């Protein structure tokens, strides 16, 4: 698998989602986070979620806390474990993450094998942190009791708030397949998981440096 090619394809798909302003339906506004959704172009029967919000930290801190696996393990309650499997280059890694069980054990832990990278979009003075699931020879088997889930092209567009570089404007594009049924349950869990991630990030920015 050509991981550099996958990375560039993921960036292109995210740029398309970010640039399209129509076709998004408002879902909910919660704690300053405005979430909307639309049909995914990658999943046969799934949604992609878009969240827009402000983070009370400069962009470099947001990027550092988002891509540092040791730091993320401290603030992201949606993860039980995260490890770097392979370093592709200075801006791109392959990571394995393990989520805890949901709903008092009714939903078993999920494993994600993701290509994660950072791109500076100079034309818009924006930093894009992207991630997408891939295959890797070191992760061919899934542990007993764990389900291999899948992240479709997802990421966070980050830019400094105009007139105040101590704050960051964020637009998150997120879509994933938890390999779970019925679909009604998936549609209930997915938005909650996205909101929880953003709240965790906000708390992490306050507590960690």
């Amino acid at each position: 698998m050509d991981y550099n090619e996958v990375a560039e394809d993921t960036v292109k798909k995210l740029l398309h989602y970010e640039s399209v302003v129509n076709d998004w339906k408002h879902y909910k506004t919660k704690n300053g986070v405005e979430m909307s959704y639309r049909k995914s172009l990658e999943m046969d029967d799934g949604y992609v979620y878009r969240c827009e919000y402000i983070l009370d930290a400069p962009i470099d801190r947001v990027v550092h806390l988002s891509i540092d696996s040791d730091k993320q393990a401290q603030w992201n309650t949606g993860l039980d474990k995260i490890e770097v499997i392979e370093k592709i280059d200075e801006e791109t890694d392959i990571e394995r993450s393990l989520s805890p069980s949901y709903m008092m054990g009714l939903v078993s832990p999920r494993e994600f094998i993701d290509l994660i990278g950072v791109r500076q979009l100079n034309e818009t003075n924006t930093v894009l942190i992207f991630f997408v699931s891939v295959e890797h020879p070191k992760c061919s088997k899934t542990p007993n009791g764990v389900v291999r889930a899948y992240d479709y092209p997802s990421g966070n567009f980050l830019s400094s708030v105009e007139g105040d570089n101590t704050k960051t404007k964020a637009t998150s594009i997120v879509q994933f397949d938890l390999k779970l049924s019925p679909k009604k349950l998936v549609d209930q869990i997915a938005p909650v998981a996205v909101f929880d991630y953003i709240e965790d990030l906000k708390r992490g920015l306050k507590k960690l440096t």
Side-chain angles (χ1 to χ4, degrees), residues 163-183:
D164 187 355
N165 60 12
T166 66
K167 296 183 179 182
T168 300
K169 178 183 178 183
T171 298
S172 296
I173 308 292
V174 185
Q175 52 179 335
F176 50 85
D177 182 0
L178 291 174
K179 305 298 182 181
L180 179 67
S181 60
K183 185 177 182 302

Side-chain angles (χ1 to χ4, degrees), residues 38-136:
R38 56 162 288 172
K39 284 288 187 179
S40 169
L41 298 176
E42 287 74 37
M43 286 187 282
D44 291 334
D45 190 24
Y47 295 107
V48 53
Y49 298 91
R50 177 186 183 124
C51 293
E52 297 179 273
Y53 50 101
I54 301 296
L55 295 168
D56 193 17
I59 192 169
D60 58 337
R61 281 200 61 221
V62 177
V63 172
H64 175 66
L65 219 64
S66 298
I67 65 174
D68 186 309
S69 57
D70 291 333
K71 293 286 187 183
Q72 189 173 169
Q74 297 178 54
W75 61 260
N76 191 342
T77 61
L79 296 179
D80 270 348
K81 183 179 181 181
I82 183 170
E83 59 181 321
V84 176
I85 301 299
E86 180 181 347
K87 191 171 184 64
I88 306 301
D89 55 42
E90 288 301 314
E91 297 183 325
T92 316
D93 292 337
I94 295 178
E95 298 181 5
R96 173 184 178 268
S97 58
L98 185 67
S99 71
S101 60
Y102 294 94
M103 302 176 68
M104 300 181 68
L106 292 177
V107 179
S108 59
R110 261 49 184 174
E111 178 189 61
F112 295 86
I113 310 300
D114 284 349
L115 177 70
I116 300 176
V118 181
R119 293 291 185 273
Q120 178 72 48
L121 308 176
N122 294 322
E123 62 275 12
T124 57
N125 200 26
T126 300
V127 175
L128 170 61
I129 302 172
F130 66 88
F131 55 98
V132 64
S133 286
V134 294
E135 296 180 358
H136 195 277

Side-chain angles (χ1 to χ4, degrees), residues 138-207:
K138 292 183 179 180
C139 304
S140 59
K141 295 183 179 180
T142 303
N144 290 336
V146 176
V147 175
R148 176 73 58 84
Y150 195 92
D151 282 319
Y152 287 88
S154 302
N156 298 321
F157 290 86
L158 306 170
S159 60
S160 295
V161 171
E162 187 174 354
D164 187 355
N165 60 12
T166 66
K167 296 183 179 182
T168 300
K169 178 183 178 183
T171 298
S172 296
I173 308 292
V174 185
Q175 52 179 335
F176 50 85
D177 182 0
L178 291 174
K179 305 298 182 181
L180 179 67
S181 60
K183 185 177 182 302
K184 183 178 180 180
L185 179 59
V186 177
D187 293 341
Q188 290 175 342
I189 291 177
V192 174
V194 176
F195 274 128
D196 286 348
Y197 168 84
I198 295 171
E199 289 305 308
D200 282 348
L201 177 57
K202 289 180 178 180
R203 284 190 289 268
L205 288 166
K206 291 180 180 180
K207 295 180 180 179

